[in-house]
Amino acid sequence: MSWVGGGGKGEGKRGKGEGNPGAVALALNVGAFLTFALLVPGFATGPNLETVVISALPLFLLAVGQTFVLISAGIDLSSTAVVGLVSVVGGVVMSAEEGTQGGTLGTLTGLAAMLATGVAAGAVNGACVGWLRMPAFMVTLTLGMFAGGLAVWLARTVAATETLYGLPSQFLQIGGDAGIALALTAALGIAAHGLLSGTLFGRALQSVGYNARVALVSGLRVQRVILATYVLGGLFAAFAAVLLTGRLETASPTHGRQLLLDVIGATVIGGTSLSGGRGRIGWTALGVLFLALVGNGLTLMNLSDFAITIVKGLVILAAALLDAWRVRRRGRS
Amino acid sequence: MKSCSIGRRTAGVTLAALMATALAACGGSAPARDEGALTIGVAFETLQTEFWVAAWNKLRADTAERKITMLEAVADGDPNRQLEQVRTFINRRVDGIILVPKDGKTVIPMIRAANAAGIPVVLFNRPADRTDAPHTAIVPDNVAITKATVEYLIEQARASGSPAKAAILLGDLSDVNAIGRRDGFEAAVKEAGDAVQVVSRIPTEWNQERALAGLQSAFQAHPDISLVLTSSDFMLPSIKSVLSSLGKWQRVGDEGHVILGGFDGDPTAYSMMLDGYLDATGVQDVFWEAEQAIEVIVGAKSGKSPPARIEDPGFAITQANMASMADRMWGAVMARRGP
């Protein structure tokens, strides 16, 4: 009953009274950049900004997946746990210590296994939310617990340790080489933007998120759209795992574990609505960039970890409040 | 159509802003710094245990006293974030980096990045896995510290006149610290000969509930256990719970006292020693380790070659030496300072 009962906010016309969330996110970025550039020595340097951008690439990929899911009026709380599971699966296949294959063949096999794991996790989420009509937060939270536990079990069973090392150099380059990581992420981001903005699927997704009941009555195959949405979420989580595993040269069930709030926060700061129906990949990129700039700037200011967490939490809360205000205005108009 | 035009406008402004950002980035320069002053980047994986907080505070105090700038970063358990922090330190051209990594493997790319920039790296209390990337690891001598602690416990058992029946709460034996502490215990027991008989080796995997259940089972099988060693002080509350339920939570010297030892020297252990329930605990000299970490970087700056490994000899704090040694026990310092 979940997504069928989740409509009701579509009485007003789409877009009216919502302002321009992308412009808000852009203004936040410009404000943060100028503030830190003026206040913090070493912030506005090429190497530092390169570090900020490259470090934020896995977060961006996770946030792209979350953008699809949030637009469908769902939520994916499993994505960061799926990153850990995907990472371990890759490690088991490719690690010279434990895996059976290295080199190019091992890398290709490992990549295929990693992406397949992400897709499978997304498909389970999508099937439960779409066909069984279970609440998204419950399904994805449970799958996240399962994926997290399975990742640790798999690592300990196969390798008798929680981390796997000795991955093929070809694989490590994907996440470890800044140019390759940036090019891959940009290509995936552009593809996601095209899918969302320039295809029938993108329109169908926004319609489902805006009002699933109306979309169903209009003849849209809502379950299939929801399934595809969560599969995309899983796929992008898998790509994030590829980058993280390569960057850290280690497969581990703990990769990505700390990122969930940042993923949802960056997506919401970018203007994607928690109530569904609205969101853009470009906005999400701005949300990710803003969180990365704030995190880096505050670290350079030598603020304590607790202070940085408080600031980030307040920013995300403010973005959620702004989203709620937009949804109310949209309802009124 | 309207939403399309908004999208294009947003995209255009975004592109312009990113270009401006890139231009500013290229035009920016690294911060100027007094070449005579030292800057050390300190990146901890977490500050969620008292041990790390004690180390952090000591590093802060010592760098301030020596007029060294300390750049701080805590990764909150996220190695990707820690790698970003290390790269940020490198970009700021620090003179050295002190790291508490999340694990021994994910730290290797961080060491390599610092190596490439010619910046010395000190791994504080948590060593890296096998790597050819040069760095300094400061680690406690778990074997020696535990052995000294257990020797004191056996001495107390000997004084009672009858052979001791001992149990040890083991840590996670995939952890080098747990292995070292077990080996220190076994070495002391072996040297003691007939004075002590080990009747139970309890695996806990660093889990308090397992410790509690395991010790309960051990006392059911061997009610005459008279000596217990825990591989970490954080399991002391579990031991107290079991001994209390058996009526054996007694002060040193009282009838029915079970000789009790630990490892770490945390505030709970200090409090139990003050109250007279704990006989001894092995202490990692975190203050000494912090001094050594800073010294390695200061030495590297003046041209000394950093050592690959520094072992903290630590010490056993006992009921006999507590008055003179408590100032070096980090748990005592934390407990006196209060929350």
Side-chain angles (χ1 to χ4, degrees):
Chain A
M1 290 294 146
S2 176
W3 54 262
V4 171
K9 52 192 176 294
E11 287 104 17
K13 285 186 180 175
R14 204 177 307 174
K16 277 195 173 179
E18 294 179 24
N20 187 345
V24 174
L26 181 63
L28 283 172
N29 273 283
V30 172
F33 179 80
L34 292 176
T35 305
F36 289 124
L38 287 172
L39 293 179
V40 185
F43 176 79
T45 63
N48 186 55
L49 293 177
E50 182 190 330
T51 299
V52 170
V53 171
I54 299 301
S55 302
L57 296 181
L59 174 62
F60 172 66
L61 290 175
L62 278 164
V64 168
Q66 193 69 242
T67 302
F68 282 108
V69 176
L70 284 182
I71 291 174
S72 77
I75 192 162
D76 187 354
L77 302 177
S78 69
S79 61
T80 52
V82 169
V83 167
L85 177 61
V86 169
S87 177
V88 170
V89 167
V92 167
V93 174
M94 291 183 286
S95 169
E97 290 173 343
E98 312 298 338
T100 54
Q101 301 178 77
T104 308
L105 183 62
T107 299
L108 291 174
T109 314
L111 279 173
M114 293 174 86
L115 298 182
T117 304
V119 166
V124 172
N125 278 332
C128 290
V129 175
W131 270 276
L132 301 179
R133 299 182 182 179
M134 293 166 70
F137 85 92
M138 180 55 76
V139 170
T140 57
L141 188 64
T142 310
L143 187 104
M145 290 169 68
F146 174 77
L150 180 62
V152 174
W153 176 82
L154 191 60
R156 285 192 176 176
T157 304
V158 175
T161 172
E162 285 193 14
T163 52
L164 296 119
Y165 200 62
L167 303 169
S169 58
Q170 294 99 320
F171 173 79
L172 296 181
Q173 274 188 332
I174 299 171
D177 183 303
I180 295 173
L182 189 60
L184 175 67
T185 307
L188 289 168
I190 290 167
H193 173 74
L195 186 63
L196 192 57
S197 305
T199 64
L200 285 175
F201 168 75
R203 289 188 184 181
L205 174 59
Q206 293 184 12
S207 298
V208 168
Y210 210 71
N211 193 322
R213 195 177 298 166
V214 171
L216 189 67
V217 172
S218 307
L220 283 175
R221 292 176 169 178
V222 175
Q223 286 104 329
R224 287 192 185 184
V225 172
I226 289 174
L227 175 69
T229 301
Y230 282 90
V231 166
L232 281 168
L235 183 64
F236 276 91
F239 276 116
V242 169
L243 289 196
L244 275 174
T245 307
R247 185 170 154 77
L248 296 165
E249 300 181 15
T250 307
S252 167
T254 62
H255 285 346
R257 192 179 278 179
Q258 309 295 328
L259 288 178
L260 186 58
L261 185 61
D262 282 4
V263 172
I264 295 171
T267 314
V268 175
I269 289 169
T272 298
S273 177
L274 284 166
S275 303
R278 188 191 63 212
R280 285 179 184 280
I281 302 302
W283 298 352
T284 296
L286 290 171
V288 170
L289 185 61
F290 177 69
L291 273 190
L293 289 174
V294 169
N296 180 263
L298 295 179
T299 301
L300 286 174
M301 289 174 79
N302 235 14
L303 258 65
S304 75
D305 182 49
F306 310 112
I308 295 171
T309 307
I310 289 169
V311 170
K312 281 168 78 173
L314 286 174
V315 170
I316 294 169
L317 178 65
L321 287 171
L322 183 62
D323 175 56
W325 175 76
R326 281 183 189 133
V327 170
R328 268 212 311 278
R329 281 195 65 184
R330 185 167 69 181
R332 277 206 297 270
S333 64
Chain B
M1 286 301 288
K2 187 175 181 185
S3 69
C4 261
S5 68
I6 288 172
R8 274 193 220 108
R9 199 163 60 229
T10 305
V13 181
T14 305
L15 190 62
L18 289 176
M19 285 172 68
T21 304
L23 283 172
C26 295
S29 58
R33 194 162 52 73
D34 175 6
E35 288 302 314
L38 243 63
T39 302
I40 296 177
V42 178
F44 273 36
E45 179 250 327
T46 180
L47 279 182
Q48 285 187 347
T49 68
E50 288 164 319
F51 179 79
W52 297 124
V53 174
W56 182 266
N57 289 341
K58 175 67 175 169
L59 287 166
R60 262 187 175 173
D62 281 14
T63 48
E65 193 181 310
R66 299 176 72 159
K67 301 199 185 321
I68 295 170
T69 304
M70 173 171 150
L71 303 181
E72 303 175 2
V74 180
D76 199 19
D78 180 357
N80 185 49
R81 193 167 161 197
Q82 191 165 52
L83 179 55
E84 180 196 345
Q85 291 165 346
V86 168
R87 288 194 183 280
T88 302
F89 289 156
I90 294 169
N91 294 337
R92 293 193 71 177
R93 294 186 297 169
V94 296
D95 298 292
I97 297 172
I98 298 172
L99 267 176
V100 174
K102 178 159 189 317
D103 60 65
K105 287 174 178 153
T106 54
V107 73
I108 294 172
M110 301 177 207
I111 299 172
R112 280 210 212 98
N115 286 166
I119 296 171
V121 177
V122 178
L123 299 192
F124 189 89
N125 206 273
R126 203 172 269 175
D129 275 25
R130 197 178 48 216
T131 174
D132 53 6
H135 67 280
T136 301
I138 300 179
V139 288
D141 187 342
N142 286 294
V143 177
I145 299 170
T146 311
K147 187 164 179 275
T149 307
V150 178
E151 281 169 354
Y152 176 82
L153 301 181
I154 292 171
E155 215 175 279
Q156 304 313 300
R158 278 203 175 103
S160 71
S162 55
K165 292 208 171 173
I168 176 173
L169 295 168
L170 300 164
D172 183 340
L173 291 179
S174 65
D175 173 359
V176 290
N177 292 316
I179 294 168
R181 294 168 201 179
R182 178 202 61 188
D183 291 349
F185 171 81
E186 298 291 354
V189 166
K190 193 175 173 187
E191 280 180 15
D194 294 339
V196 59
Q197 179 195 355
V198 183
V199 294
S200 185
R201 294 175 176 84
I202 303 159
T204 70
E205 296 186 2
W206 296 135
N207 181 308
Q208 270 190 316
E209 287 171 19
R210 278 175 182 248
L212 188 119
L215 193 60
Q216 274 172 338
S217 302
F219 267 101
Q220 277 166 10
H222 307 280
D224 53 350
I225 289 174
S226 56
L227 188 157
V228 175
L229 178 83
T230 168
S231 295
S232 175
D233 287 342
F234 86 90
M235 292 189 278
L236 283 171
S238 297
I239 297 173
K240 179 183 175 185
S241 172
V242 173
L243 293 182
S244 298
S245 68
L246 297 170
K248 292 174 183 275
W249 185 245
Q250 305 294 338
R251 287 192 169 85
V252 175
D254 286 356
E255 180 74 24
H257 169 70
V258 173
I259 298 167
L260 186 57
F263 191 102
D264 281 335
D266 75 7
T268 303
Y270 174 67
S271 154
M272 286 185 177
M273 289 202 68
L274 271 186
D275 295 341
Y277 292 101
L278 183 66
D279 291 80
T281 191
V283 180
Q284 304 187 60
D285 197 343
V286 69
F287 302 141
W288 183 86
E289 290 182 18
E291 288 162 13
Q292 292 300 308
I294 295 170
E295 202 51 52
V296 166
I297 291 167
V298 172
K301 181 74 176 172
S302 60
K304 280 186 198 161
S305 183
R309 187 178 174 91
I310 297 175
E311 284 206 337
D312 166 15
F315 56 92
I317 192 155
T318 66
Q319 289 291 344
N321 68 12
M322 195 166 73
S324 61
M325 299 292 280
D327 287 346
R328 285 178 58 197
M329 181 184 186
W330 63 270
V333 175
M334 296 278 291
R336 288 172 188 163
R337 190 178 293 156

